[in-house]
Amino acid sequence: MIKMTRVDHRLLHGQVAFTWIKAVGADCILIANDDVAKDELRMAVLKMAKPQGTKLVMKSVEDSIKALTSGVTDKYNLFIITESIEDVWRLCRAVPAIREVNIGGVKVEEGKRQISKAVFVSDEECAQIRDLVDDGIHVFVQMTPSDESDEAMKLIG
């Protein structure tokens, strides 16, 4: 069961590892990112940030789609993390079970505009958010469980 799907360029860190995991009752974290899946050093660092008693799986986006659609992940209370809006867009297009996306942090880069304290988006990412919302997926921006959430569409205009 998918408990939460989150975009956070930092992937697994204290805020995710402790507050969100506890708040949603997840027992397994799936990091869906092509770069992480082929980087042994990044995987080792992320494993150190994992909360005790929580399973951590790191796969490419394509392998994550295969796992999520095959039913192999159904036994877990799953917390999915992607590094980018593009990654979550790819996941959502292929995995109908994802009905909600939390955008927690997208780093500042050339050509992006700020829509919240920790979220910077390009025109292409705005189009991907619109696609998700048009597909009936609830997309919201919220850094921590105790913060107010904002509808992504309201923020991107």
Side-chain angles (χ1 to χ4, degrees), residues 2-19:
I2 298 170
K3 298 301 246 177
M4 182 175 219
T5 303
R6 178 178 170 91
V7 176
D8 193 322
H9 70 274
R10 297 174 294 171
L11 294 171
L12 188 57
H13 54 90
Q15 190 172 294
V16 168
F18 299 99
T19 61

Side-chain angles (χ1 to χ4, degrees), residues 139-151:
V139 183
F140 64 100
V141 174
Q142 186 177 9
M143 282 183 60
T144 68
S146 60
D147 290 334
E148 289 288 321
S149 70
D150 285 307
E151 296 302 314

Side-chain angles (χ1 to χ4, degrees), residues 48-144:
M48 289 189 286
K50 174 188 82 72
Q52 196 168 10
T54 305
K55 182 176 177 64
L56 174 62
V57 179
M58 293 170 271
K59 294 181 175 290
S60 68
V61 174
E62 194 57 42
D63 286 344
S64 295
I65 290 167
K66 288 176 187 168
L68 290 163
T69 57
S70 74
V72 72
T73 61
D74 291 354
K75 62 185 171 192
Y76 298 107
N77 291 315
L78 201 57
F79 188 95
I80 303 168
I81 308 170
T82 68
E83 191 173 41
S84 68
I85 291 169
E86 180 184 357
D87 285 350
V88 85
W89 178 80
R90 288 171 56 202
L91 269 182
C92 290
R93 305 296 286 181
V95 182
I98 300 174
R99 304 309 311 150
E100 187 170 73
V101 171
N102 164 248
I103 302 175
V106 180
K107 65 184 170 185
V108 62
E109 291 176 310
E110 184 80 27
K112 291 188 174 190
R113 63 185 170 97
Q114 186 172 13
I115 62 166
S116 77
K117 183 178 175 185
V119 178
F120 298 81
V121 293
S122 66
D123 290 343
E124 182 180 345
E125 289 167 327
C126 288
Q128 291 168 334
I129 290 168
R130 285 185 191 94
D131 275 352
L132 295 175
V133 171
D134 288 347
D135 286 345
I137 296 168
H138 178 222
V139 183
F140 64 100
V141 174
Q142 186 177 9
M143 282 183 60
T144 68

